[in-house]
Amino acid sequence: MSRPVEDVVKRLAADGIDVVRVSYTDLIGVERARDVLVERLPQAVEHGLSFCRAVFHTTPGGDTVEVPGGLDAGLPDICVRPDLSTLAAVPWEDGVASCIGDACEPGSREPCPEGPREVLRRAIGKLRELGLEAVAGPELEYYLCEPDPSSPTGWRRYGDAPGNVYTAGRKGDPDGHLLRTLRHLRDLGLGVTMGNHEFGGGQFEINLAHSGALDAADRAFRFKAAVQEIARLDGRLATFMAKPFNDDGGSGFHVHLSCLEADGRNVFEGGGPDGLSETAHHAIAGVLEHAPALAALLNPTINSYKRFGPDSLAPWLIDWGLDNRSAMLRIPPERGAAARLEVRLGDASANPYLGVAGLIAAVYLGIRDKASAPPPLEGYGYDAAKAPVLPADLPAALDALAADEALTEVLGREFATAFLAYKRDEVARFRRHVTDWEFREYAYHL
């Protein structure tokens, strides 16, 4: 009798697929991958694929950061094992299927503690100790850019015209990018539901259906990689950078989150004055209590904090509200089985695994400790007299994460050490870098 992987190989070959792309995420959510000829897939499944562990710690510019277990250990390997349950044909690449890989220690199936998929599994496991299963629905925004040799960055916003907020069709999308992308993502099996032109010129939002937290993060990770790949096929750049333009708003990563008992009942359902259960209020309190540390995971770049501020349509304060989009944590108007939190803290540059893991960890701590939430925000937010202010920059958020021992214990101390070392290196490099703004501001007169 054939082994399961051999059956998979036969099915792939019958479908005209001769290459499987095995991908995984590094610390910051960049897709790392290897193309495997389909006849070699059984060996890849049995033995795994070797990658240098320092890939987890590689900057967007290609430099290796000194994170414990990387350079100091002589650049050892990790072993990435294909998860065949995630196999899907790539619609825009003939003969290619893709799947997600799990990063393990060499010679074993012990997961790498700093692997983002494993970090999320840890958080899910802690919530399960309370008999609860997390369900997540990601919403992601991005900017589409096209080449412009006259621009300092080499790019300009695609289809840039004012006022195309919440539109569809060629008015705000002259080349039909959104329709083409939606269809590709649907055929990839990512559970996309709908999309539209967003607030900014050349900005789009595509929604993903809700599902179990690991599956939702898997799909968000693949979504980001797929959108970038599809844009490159058209000679364009899709960026999930938090705020790529001075004169336009940023891109968010909103997460809708609920918790189910074993029988499928949503424990956020309730009969209180706001239609929520006590458990929901404990979950809200957990997210608010750990929000400064969560900012490091959900707003993980220097650029992230330029998206924040009063009247920016991005959170600025640590607050919550009932159907209030000026709050960091919004409770959508649906109740009953659809009761949920919408955490609006994150920006699109966040690694989906780490962002969702952080939220689940905070919800777990809030429910476990029966934390108490303050009253909800009334009216328009952005009044610092009403609620604490979120960290103003990445260094402050990293300090908050380092100080939040309860949260880092859930996520894993080895992960936290690696993430903090990596991100503090980013801060140090930025502080040494002379920006265009500084030259324009000072060079002529000073």
Side-chain angles (χ1 to χ4, degrees):
M1 187 175 190
S2 296
R3 291 178 297 171
V5 66
E6 293 176 343
D7 293 338
V8 170
V9 168
K10 290 177 182 177
R11 176 172 59 81
L12 292 173
D15 291 340
I17 290 171
D18 64 346
V19 170
V20 174
R21 181 164 298 154
V22 181
S23 65
Y24 66 102
T25 172
D26 67 5
L27 274 181
I28 58 173
V30 174
E31 182 188 37
R32 307 292 178 177
R34 183 168 296 157
D35 286 340
V36 179
L37 291 171
V38 72
E39 62 268 23
R40 304 299 296 180
L41 187 60
Q43 289 87 343
V45 170
E46 183 176 356
H47 302 293
L49 303 171
S50 293
F51 286 84
C52 179
R53 189 178 203 125
V55 171
F56 273 137
H57 321 139
T58 301
T59 72
D63 298 319
T64 299
V65 179
E66 293 188 21
V67 171
L71 284 171
D72 65 334
L75 300 171
D77 273 353
I78 57 169
C79 180
V80 174
R81 297 185 179 277
D83 179 352
L84 298 184
S85 71
T86 65
L87 264 175
V90 178
W92 59 88
E93 195 90 65
D94 288 343
V96 177
S98 71
C99 73
I100 294 173
D102 281 312
C104 302
E105 300 292 352
S108 78
R109 295 186 179 271
E110 186 69 23
C112 292
E114 75 267 46
R117 207 172 185 228
E118 175 59 20
V119 174
L120 177 53
R121 283 195 177 109
R122 280 180 58 92
I124 291 170
K126 294 302 289 185
L127 191 63
R128 283 176 179 162
E129 292 178 8
L130 303 179
L132 300 175
E133 195 71 32
V135 173
E139 295 178 358
L140 281 152
E141 298 168 339
Y142 63 94
Y143 276 92
L144 186 66
C145 304
E146 51 193 4
D148 181 2
S150 67
S151 167
T153 63
W155 300 94
R156 65 170 177 263
R157 284 165 286 199
Y158 158 81
D160 192 9
N164 283 321
V165 181
Y166 292 160
T167 61
R170 300 303 169 113
K171 181 181 177 184
D173 183 10
D175 190 41
H177 158 80
L178 181 60
L179 286 177
R180 193 161 53 250
T181 302
L182 270 175
R183 288 169 176 148
H184 279 324
L185 298 176
R186 174 200 62 198
D187 295 344
L188 188 58
L190 296 190
V192 294
T193 59
M194 60 193 76
N196 56 266
H197 192 286
E198 255 295 336
F199 269 79
Q203 188 185 37
F204 296 88
E205 179 179 52
I206 294 177
N207 299 138
L208 297 164
H210 65 272
S211 66
L214 181 62
D215 177 71
D218 280 343
R219 290 184 294 112
F221 162 61
R222 298 177 92 169
F223 166 87
K224 292 177 70 173
V227 167
Q228 292 172 325
E229 189 80 3
I230 293 165
R232 288 186 176 99
L233 289 173
D234 293 334
R236 298 189 174 107
L237 170 72
T239 180
F240 291 87
M241 182 177 172
K243 186 174 169 60
F245 302 105
N246 281 313
D247 60 347
D248 230 331
S251 293
F253 170 42
H254 300 165
V255 180
H256 293 251
L257 194 66
S258 58
C259 293
L260 307 182
E261 289 183 319
D263 61 1
R265 188 182 74 85
N266 183 351
V267 298
F268 291 170
E269 291 185 51
D274 53 17
L276 299 173
S277 67
E278 285 188 18
T279 302
H281 285 92
H282 297 326
I284 291 167
V287 173
L288 298 184
E289 180 179 345
H290 298 281
L294 291 174
L297 303 174
L298 285 159
N299 311 108
T301 70
I302 295 289
N303 175 259
S304 294
Y305 297 82
K306 297 176 182 180
R307 170 178 164 264
F308 287 160
D311 305 315
S312 64
L313 295 178
W316 185 48
L317 305 177
I318 302 172
D319 54 10
W320 73 284
L322 300 169
D323 196 14
N324 191 328
R325 283 182 170 83
S326 64
M328 186 198 81
L329 193 158
R330 169 180 175 256
I331 304 298
E334 296 87 354
R335 291 295 183 269
R340 63 195 185 276
L341 321 183
E342 181 195 4
V343 183
R344 300 171 60 82
L345 172 61
D347 69 66
S349 68
N351 183 326
Y353 293 104
L354 301 183
V356 174
L359 291 176
I360 292 173
V363 165
Y364 160 75
L365 291 168
I367 296 173
R368 184 197 70 180
D369 299 339
K370 300 188 184 306
S372 298
L377 168 70
E378 296 287 345
Y380 192 54
Y382 303 111
D383 180 355
K386 293 183 177 180
V389 179
L390 285 161
D393 52 30
L394 182 58
L398 294 175
D399 288 346
L401 179 62
D404 196 330
E405 295 185 2
L407 193 78
T408 55
E409 180 67 31
V410 175
L411 299 175
R413 294 296 173 86
E414 290 175 277
F415 156 72
T417 298
F419 184 83
L420 289 166
Y422 180 95
K423 283 294 168 180
R424 283 175 169 154
D425 175 84
E426 180 178 328
V427 171
R429 287 185 290 113
F430 180 77
R431 284 174 172 165
R432 293 192 298 267
H433 182 74
V434 179
T435 65
D436 294 343
W437 183 92
E438 291 167 279
F439 190 89
R440 287 195 305 270
E441 186 78 3
Y442 306 128
Y444 186 76
H445 288 293
L446 300 183

